[in-house]
């Protein structure tokens, strides 16, 4: 039982290692080159992981408090469109980014603030409150985009942000900061305490309402950053840019070891979950498997993650 408890604790790391070994063996046998030690593959995997990971970092804080944020996908899209619209006002000037980027983030903090107020003040269930904001942010994004869903941008400074490894570096820096906050600060301790037992946190003197509002604002901020990076990478703001990343952001947190019941989870686990999803998606394309299989495989991994979470305590008790 001790071995099973250890495996249940570190299974995301082991599964990621198993995936890399499998695709490496396939690459060596089928195409006689390395899958892992290939700069293009590594960059593609890291870039594929970075966008949903930005959403998942904020989602980690939310899920640790036993909540969920279904609005992040379209908050990301709203940010992508906003930064594109603000930037096209003066596409030739890099200085416009000093206004367009902060202003886009501020706009997208509003949905996070409303989510927090609905959940913390009015006691609306997180699923319902953020689902409503999902629709509001979706409509706002399409309205901001105007007649079409895409707003093209031609700004060299913005393109510089999205070029090469820079989105990955930005994501890594933000991940390190939020890992420190969640694991080493009082704010992080309060986050775990609320997720573990909200009533006990109230009795301990934690301002739960204010803390939850801050958590949902953080989630919206990371969704906004994800939207800005998207526009920087693809030179276009798209209202539904983050729609396919919503489930990936939740899946990354769950696969990384967080419990949907709250109280557990960490940013490093979310990183591993994001890498697992990215490796599956890129690896299946690499071995020429129909891309739609990735949804099935990721879905199975999520189910396994939830099952392991349910039995983790029992396995640990038998250690």
């Amino acid at each position: 039982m001790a071995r099973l408890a250890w495996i249940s604790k570190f299974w995301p790391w082991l599964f990621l290692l198993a995936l890399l070994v499998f695709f490496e063996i396939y690459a060596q046998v089928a195409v006689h080159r390395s899958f892992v030690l290939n700069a293009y593959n590594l960059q593609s995997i890291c870039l594929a992981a970075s966008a949903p990971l930005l959403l998942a970092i904020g989602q980690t804080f939310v899920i640790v408090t036993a909540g969920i944020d279904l609005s992040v996908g379209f908050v990301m899209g709203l940010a992508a469109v906003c930064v594109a619209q603000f930037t096209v006002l003066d596409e030739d000037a890099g200085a416009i980014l000093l206004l367009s980027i902060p202003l886009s983030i501020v706009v997208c903090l509003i949905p996070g603030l409303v989510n927090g107020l609905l959940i913390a003040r009015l006691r609306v269930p997180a699923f319902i409150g953020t689902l409503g904001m999902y629709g509001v942010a979706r409509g706002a994004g399409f309205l901001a985009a105007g007649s079409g869903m895409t707003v093209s941008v031609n700004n060299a400074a913005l393109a510089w942000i999205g070029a090469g490894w820079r989105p990955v570096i930005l994501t890594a820096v933000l991940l390190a900061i939020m890992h420190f906050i969640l694991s080493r600060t009082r704010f992080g301790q309060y986050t775990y305490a609320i997720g573990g037992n909200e009533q006990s946190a109230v009795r301990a003197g934690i301002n739960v309402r204010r803390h939850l509002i801050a958590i949902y604002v953080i989630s919206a901020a990371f969704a906004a950053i994800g939207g800005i990076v998207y526009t920087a990478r693809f030179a276009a703001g798209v209202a539904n840019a983050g729609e396919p990343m919503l489930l990936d952001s939740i899946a990354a947190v769950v696969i990384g070891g967080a419990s949907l019941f709250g109280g557990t989870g960490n940013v490093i686990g979310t990183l591993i979950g994001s890498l697992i999803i990215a490796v599956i998606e890129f690896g299946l394309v690499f071995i020429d498997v129909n891309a739609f299989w990735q949804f099935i495989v990721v879905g199975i991994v999520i189910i396994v993650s939830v099952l392991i979470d349910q039995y983790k305590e029992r396995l640990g008790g038998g250690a």
Side-chain angles (χ1 to χ4, degrees), residues 276-300:
I276 286 173
I277 294 172
V279 169
I280 289 173
E281 293 176 349
F282 183 81
L284 291 180
V285 173
F286 180 81
I287 64 177
D288 198 26
V289 173
N290 190 312
F292 292 116
W293 277 98
Q294 65 183 272
F295 301 114
I296 296 175
V297 176
V298 172
I300 292 172

Side-chain angles (χ1 to χ4, degrees), residues 65-258:
T65 62
I68 196 165
D69 190 349
L70 299 179
S71 67
V72 290
F74 280 105
V75 171
M76 174 181 169
L78 176 61
V81 171
C82 284
V83 75
Q85 291 284 34
F86 293 143
T87 302
V88 296
L89 296 175
D90 190 358
E91 287 192 335
D92 296 327
I96 191 66
L97 296 183
L98 298 178
L99 173 65
S100 62
I101 290 178
L103 192 56
S104 298
I105 293 175
V106 169
V107 168
C108 292
L109 293 183
I110 297 173
L113 178 61
V114 174
N115 281 336
L117 291 172
L118 287 173
I119 294 161
R121 295 285 182 181
L122 301 180
R123 311 308 296 175
V124 175
F127 183 91
I128 300 300
T130 60
L131 181 61
M133 188 53 63
Y134 168 103
V136 172
R138 182 181 188 180
F142 285 121
L143 288 172
S147 58
M149 292 192 301
T150 303
V151 181
S152 299
V153 181
N154 183 23
N155 183 284
L158 185 62
W160 182 88
I161 295 174
W165 285 90
R166 293 187 187 98
V168 177
I169 295 171
L170 173 62
T171 303
V173 170
L174 292 174
L175 184 139
I177 293 171
M178 300 312 290
H179 170 66
F180 176 82
I181 291 174
L182 187 58
S183 63
R184 302 294 182 185
T185 68
R186 183 175 296 177
F187 186 90
Q189 293 175 351
Y190 288 176
T191 302
Y192 283 113
I194 293 170
N197 190 313
E198 184 175 326
Q199 294 304 316
S200 295
V202 171
R203 288 194 290 270
I206 299 173
N207 190 328
V208 172
R209 290 182 175 180
R210 185 173 64 189
H211 195 91
L212 286 176
I213 292 171
I215 290 292
Y216 284 92
V217 169
I218 289 172
S219 181
F222 273 89
I225 295 171
I228 293 167
V229 171
Y230 180 95
T231 301
R233 283 189 62 196
F234 300 107
V238 183
N240 59 350
E243 184 177 13
M245 299 180 194
L246 167 60
L247 292 181
D248 281 354
S249 71
I250 298 172
V253 180
V254 175
I255 293 171

